[in-house]
Amino acid sequence: MSCWGKIQQSGWIFPTVILCINGFFTALRPSEPFITPYLTSEIKNLTLDEVTNQIFPVWTYSYLALLFPVFLLTDYLRYKPIIILQGISFITAWLILLLASGVPAMQVLEVVYGLATATEIAYYAYIYSVVSSDHYQRVTSYCRSISLVGYTAGSVIGQLLVSLGGVSYFYLNVISLCSVGVALIASLFLPMPKRSMFFHKKLSKESPETAEIDDKPSHPPTTNEDQGSHGDNVSPAEIVNAGKLSEPDILHSNSHKHFFRVLLQLLMDLKDCYSTKQLIYWSLWWALATTGYNQVLNYVQVLWEHVEPSQNSTIYNGGVEALSTLLGAVTSFSVGYVKINWDLSGELALAIFTGLDAGALFLMRFIPNIWVCYASYLVFKSSYMLLITIATFQIAINLSEERYALIFGFNTFIALALQTIVTVTVVDSKGLGLDIVTQFLVYACYFAIIAGIFLLRSTYIIITTMCKRKNQQRTDDPPQNTENQAPVEPGETHMDTHM
C-alpha cells in the first residue's frame, strides 16, 4: 500500500500507469481479426456482400462526421470524460455485436464503433495535460507501445483459442467485451486534468476577461438626468435593461466569445502549420496513403474470406495481424537509426515503398492463394508503418510542440474525407458496389498513382539539387587563363585591350 501511495503522489507515474492499463485492455480484443468470419458465420448469417457494401461503409461515414465535434469536446471537457465515453462506446458496440442480428443492427454497431474510434484522440492527448514536458518523450513511448502490445496479445490469444482450443467466435467477442469493460473501470481512476490545449490553457488562474468583469462595478440605475443627456445614443431596450444584466448572462456571453476565439485560433494555427511546401507534400502523402491504408484494413478480412472461407478450413487472421503489427513496429523503430538526407531522399523513399504497397495489393488481387494474400498483407502493412513514421517525423520537426495533435488530427480528417469519397464511389451499394476482388484492384491502382506522383516529385527534387550544386561549383571555381589569351602590357587592363 505504501508503494501505491508513492505512485499516486508522483507527478507523472500514476496517471501514466492508469492510462497504460486503459490502453492495454482497450486494444486487447481477441475477436478483432475474426470480425468478418463471425458476421458471415451461422451465428449472424450475413452475406459477404451485405458486410462489404452495407455494413462496413457506415463506420467510415460516422467516423468522419464525429471526428471534428469529438476533437473540440475532447479539449473543452478536458480529456477524461471522453476517455470514459470511449469505454462506454466500446462496451455498447460489443453488446450489440453479441446480442443483435440483422443488417440494421450491425449498421448501428458501426455508428457506435465510429464514435469509439473518434474518441481515441483523447487517449493520446490526455497525458500531455497532466505531466510536465520533461516526461513527454517517456510517457508517449509508454502509452503508444502498450497499445501495440495489447493489440498483438489480443491477436495471438484469439489465434491460439481458435486454432488450438476450437473456441467459437462468439466467445472471442465475450472476451473482448470483458477487456473493454476493464478499460472503462481503469479510466474512472484517471486524475482530472486542470488544463487543455485550447479552451483551458490557464484554468488555474483567473482569466483576464473574468477579472475585468469582476473588477467592473455593476451599472447604476438609470436616472432621468442620465436619460436626458444620453437619450439620443441609447436604445429603449438598453435603458430598460441597464443595471439588470446578471452575472450568469455575462459569463454565458463571455464563454461564447471564448469559443469562437478558440475556433479562430485553430484556423490561424492551421494556416501557420501549412506554410511550407515541404510540410504540405508530406501531409499530402499522409492523407492519400492513410485513405488507402484504412480501406485495405477495413476490407482485407473480406478478401481473405473470399479466397479461403473460414467454414472450410482453419484461418490464421490473428497470427497474421500479430506478425504484421510486430513487423510494423520493427520497421518504425529502424527509422530512428537510418542516416540519410530526408530532404533530398525522403520523397524518393515514399515513392519506392508506396510502389511496394501497390505491388503487394496487385498480388493479393491476381493470385487467389490465402498464403500469398497473408504474405502480401505483411509487406503492405509494414511498408506503410515505415512510411507513416517517416512522415510523422518530417512533419513534427517543422511544428511547435503544441501543434502536433492539431496537424495530425487535421491530416486524419482529410484522409477520412477522401476515404468517404472512395467508400461511396467504390464500396457502397448506392454507388458502384464493386465486388471485393475488383475493389482491391482499385486500391492497387490507387497506390500506384500515389507512387507515380511522388516518383516524379522526387526526380524533380534530385535533378534540381544536382543542377544547383553544379552551378555552385562553377561559381566557386576561380577563372583560369588560357594559352591563347593575349598578353597584357603593364598598366593595361583587359578592358583596354578590347577597346
Side-chain angles (χ1 to χ4, degrees):
M1 294 297 293
S2 60
C3 181
W4 181 250
K6 291 180 180 179
I7 292 177
Q8 286 185 301
Q9 293 175 0
S10 65
W12 65 275
I13 297 179
F14 177 72
T16 303
V17 169
I18 298 299
L19 194 66
C20 285
I21 294 173
N22 171 268
F24 177 81
F25 284 100
T26 298
L28 185 70
R29 303 193 296 262
S31 62
E32 194 81 13
F34 304 95
I35 290 296
T36 299
Y38 173 69
L39 294 176
T40 57
S41 66
E42 296 179 355
I43 301 175
K44 296 301 178 183
N45 201 27
L46 297 170
T47 66
L48 270 180
D49 290 338
E50 288 174 335
V51 172
T52 306
N53 304 125
Q54 299 181 39
I55 297 175
F56 283 174
V58 177
W59 172 82
T60 302
Y61 308 148
S62 59
Y63 189 8
L64 175 66
L66 294 169
L67 182 61
F68 185 70
V70 168
F71 173 77
L72 293 179
L73 280 175
T74 297
D75 193 89
Y76 185 75
L77 298 178
R78 286 177 284 163
Y79 312 112
K80 179 180 177 177
I82 304 300
I83 296 176
I84 295 175
L85 176 63
Q86 182 189 46
I88 296 174
S89 300
F90 274 125
I91 290 176
T92 305
W94 255 268
L95 285 175
I96 296 174
L97 190 61
L98 288 169
L99 303 177
S101 298
V103 172
M106 295 302 103
Q107 289 175 334
V108 174
L109 160 69
E110 293 296 324
V111 174
V112 177
Y113 192 78
L115 175 61
T117 309
T119 54
E120 286 181 356
I121 189 173
Y123 173 80
Y124 291 108
Y126 167 87
I127 201 66
Y128 302 117
S129 65
V130 293
V131 304
S132 65
S133 58
D134 296 338
H135 302 293
Y136 276 4
Q137 182 176 353
R138 185 181 299 182
V139 298
T140 300
S141 64
Y142 291 162
C143 294
R144 289 190 177 272
S145 61
I146 201 66
S147 296
L148 177 64
V149 171
Y151 184 82
T152 304
S155 299
V156 171
I157 291 172
Q159 187 63 64
L160 292 176
L161 290 176
V162 170
S163 300
L164 302 180
V167 176
S168 169
Y169 299 136
F170 179 85
Y171 292 106
L172 291 184
N173 285 291
V174 172
I175 297 173
S176 297
L177 175 63
C178 296
S179 180
V180 295
V182 173
L184 174 62
I185 295 174
S187 67
L188 300 176
F189 293 92
L190 289 170
M192 187 68 181
K194 296 182 179 180
R195 59 187 176 88
S196 64
M197 187 185 303
F198 295 106
F199 287 100
H200 306 284
K201 288 184 177 180
K202 297 180 179 180
L203 193 66
S204 59
K205 296 181 180 180
E206 190 178 27
S207 63
E209 294 179 2
T210 307
E212 290 177 5
I213 293 174
D214 294 338
D215 291 338
K216 289 180 181 179
S218 59
H219 295 283
T222 306
T223 62
N224 293 335
E225 182 178 354
D226 293 332
Q227 295 178 17
S229 59
H230 301 287
D232 295 335
N233 298 325
V234 182
S235 65
E238 290 175 330
I239 295 174
V240 173
N241 294 329
K244 296 183 180 180
L245 189 61
S246 63
E247 183 177 355
D249 292 334
I250 296 175
L251 294 177
H252 182 69
S253 175
N254 186 51
S255 64
H256 277 287
K257 292 179 181 179
H258 180 57
F259 179 80
F260 287 111
R261 188 160 49 250
V262 168
L263 291 181
L264 180 60
Q265 184 63 43
L266 280 171
L267 295 177
M268 295 300 295
D269 284 351
L270 283 175
K271 180 181 178 182
D272 292 339
C273 288
Y274 292 103
S275 59
T276 62
K277 290 184 178 180
Q278 188 76 1
L279 193 146
I280 290 175
Y281 283 115
W282 284 99
S283 296
L284 177 64
W285 179 88
W286 176 310
L288 292 174
T290 301
T291 297
Y293 175 78
N294 287 340
Q295 286 295 104
V296 171
L297 256 64
N298 286 347
Y299 299 99
V300 71
Q301 289 188 31
V302 179
L303 179 67
W304 293 343
E305 186 70 17
H306 172 81
V307 173
E308 189 70 39
S310 57
Q311 290 82 359
N312 300 340
S313 62
T314 302
I315 60 175
Y316 297 93
N317 295 5
V320 173
E321 287 289 357
L323 184 57
S324 64
T325 303
L326 289 178
L327 284 177
V330 171
T331 55
S332 300
F333 183 77
S334 64
V335 172
Y337 296 91
V338 177
K339 303 297 182 182
I340 66 172
N341 185 349
W342 292 110
D343 292 335
L344 179 63
S345 305
E347 295 187 33
L348 179 61
L350 292 181
I352 293 174
F353 285 98
T354 304
L356 189 62
D357 283 341
L361 294 177
F362 276 119
L363 287 177
M364 296 171 73
R365 160 62 179 84
F366 289 107
I367 302 180
N369 180 280
I370 190 62
W371 296 106
V372 172
C373 290
Y374 283 159
S376 299
Y377 180 72
L378 294 178
V379 173
F380 173 83
K381 190 170 182 178
S382 58
S383 296
Y384 173 82
M385 290 297 180
L386 171 69
L387 293 181
I388 198 66
T389 303
I390 297 173
T392 302
F393 166 72
Q394 287 298 309
I395 292 173
I397 61 176
N398 294 293
L399 293 175
S400 60
E401 188 171 284
E402 59 272 7
R403 289 178 177 175
Y404 290 162
L406 178 62
I407 193 70
F408 295 160
F410 188 76
N411 286 346
T412 302
F413 180 80
I414 297 299
L416 280 173
L418 295 174
Q419 186 181 350
T420 301
I421 296 173
V422 174
T423 302
V424 170
T425 306
V426 176
V427 183
D428 201 305
S429 57
K430 296 180 181 179
L432 296 177
L434 300 178
D435 62 90
I436 189 62
V437 176
T438 308
Q439 284 184 38
F440 269 75
L441 177 61
V442 173
Y443 303 150
C445 295
Y446 176 82
F447 274 94
I449 293 173
I450 298 175
I453 292 173
F454 282 90
L455 180 61
L456 293 174
R457 164 85 180 154
S458 61
T459 303
Y460 170 77
I461 291 175
I462 293 173
I463 293 176
T464 303
T465 303
M466 292 176 62
C467 291
K468 287 182 179 180
R469 289 178 179 176
K470 289 182 179 180
N471 292 333
Q472 185 66 29
Q473 289 178 356
R474 291 175 183 176
T475 304
D476 295 339
D477 290 341
Q480 298 180 356
N481 293 330
T482 62
E483 295 179 355
N484 296 328
Q485 185 174 359
V488 181
E489 296 294 333
E492 185 182 46
T493 64
H494 285 288
M495 184 176 293
D496 294 334
T497 61
H498 289 288
M499 293 182 67

